[in-house]
């Protein structure tokens, strides 16, 4: 498997920020995590977002939530793609070539998530390093995604309308 950049709007930035995000994820798994630091590190990191054929980004829907995939390294992305190709779930990657965008976490949460919600009408979050040793979910809740895409605020608005 070989990951090929489709573009790089981050201009090569982000390796230090990715390392900081990886450290925050490790801290979380070690019981020393801090949600604010983790979210700040995610927003600052330039992540690898795989493309999926005709779809703008690779995603999966589980239990009524769509998850956009993002990876902290091309190694994690290639491991994920290899597993999907071997399982036959992403035959487009069977060629061994994975195209991806490099996107800041802040753009994923602030732009890609609301766009996905608008298009699919499905709550959307970000799955980081899916299939890896230390995966992370950035759920579609207030404080993580913009308010118009946060399921907890949508539920509150629905409750207000009933009373």
């Amino acid at each position: 498997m070989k990951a090929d950049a489709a573009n790089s709007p981050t201009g090569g930035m982000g390796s230090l920020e990715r390392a900081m995000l990886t450290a925050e994820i490790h801290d979380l798994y070690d019981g020393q995590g801090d949600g604010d630091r983790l979210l700040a590190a995610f927003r600052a990191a330039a992540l690898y977002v795989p493309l999926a054929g005709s779809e703008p980004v690779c995603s999966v829907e589980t239990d009524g939530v769509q998850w956009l995939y993002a990876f902290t390294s091309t190694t994690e992305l290639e491991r994920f793609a290899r597993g999907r190709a071997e399982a036959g779930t992403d035959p487009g990657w069977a060629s061994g070539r994975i195209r991806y965008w490099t996107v800041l976490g802040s753009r994923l949460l602030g732009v890609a998530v609301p766009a996905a919600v608008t298009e699919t009408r499905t709550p959307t979050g970000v799955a980081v390093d899916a299939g890896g040793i230390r995966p992370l979910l950035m759920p579609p809740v207030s404080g993580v995604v913009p308010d118009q895409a946060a399921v907890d605020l949508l539920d509150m608005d629905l409750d207000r309308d009933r009373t």
Side-chain angles (χ1 to χ4, degrees):
M1 282 285 148
K2 170 93 174 88
D4 296 322
N7 72 7
S8 185
T10 59
M13 298 173 9
S15 60
L16 175 62
E17 291 82 0
R18 274 192 304 277
M20 291 173 62
L21 173 59
T22 300
E24 289 298 331
I25 293 170
H26 283 248
D27 285 352
L28 179 69
Y29 274 85
D30 290 342
Q32 304 298 316
D34 177 278
D36 291 336
R37 280 195 332 250
L38 178 67
L39 184 57
F42 178 86
R43 289 180 181 282
L47 300 161
Y48 303 105
V49 178
L51 305 176
S54 63
E55 298 298 317
V57 296
C58 185
S59 66
V60 66
E61 186 176 325
T62 304
D63 296 327
V65 177
Q66 179 176 328
W67 297 98
L68 306 178
Y69 291 120
F71 297 88
T72 57
S73 70
T74 56
T75 301
E76 288 289 338
L77 171 56
E78 290 167 359
R79 179 182 303 137
F80 171 77
R82 188 177 307 110
R84 299 278 298 230
E86 289 170 0
T89 53
D90 277 311
W93 290 340
S95 69
R97 308 291 287 184
I98 310 122
R99 290 181 44 86
Y100 65 88
W101 286 334
T102 306
V103 182
L104 290 174
S106 59
R107 300 282 293 169
L108 280 172
L109 295 178
V111 177
V113 165
V117 170
T118 298
E119 183 176 321
T120 65
R121 302 285 186 225
T122 303
T124 303
V126 179
V128 180
D129 292 343
I133 296 169
R134 292 185 175 94
L136 173 71
L137 295 177
M138 302 301 285
V141 296
S142 60
V144 176
V145 299
D147 289 350
Q148 73 269 22
V151 294
D152 54 329
L153 295 181
L154 294 175
D155 289 343
M156 288 176 19
D157 288 341
L158 291 174
D159 290 341
R160 260 189 258 138
D161 292 340
R162 288 187 204 134
T163 57

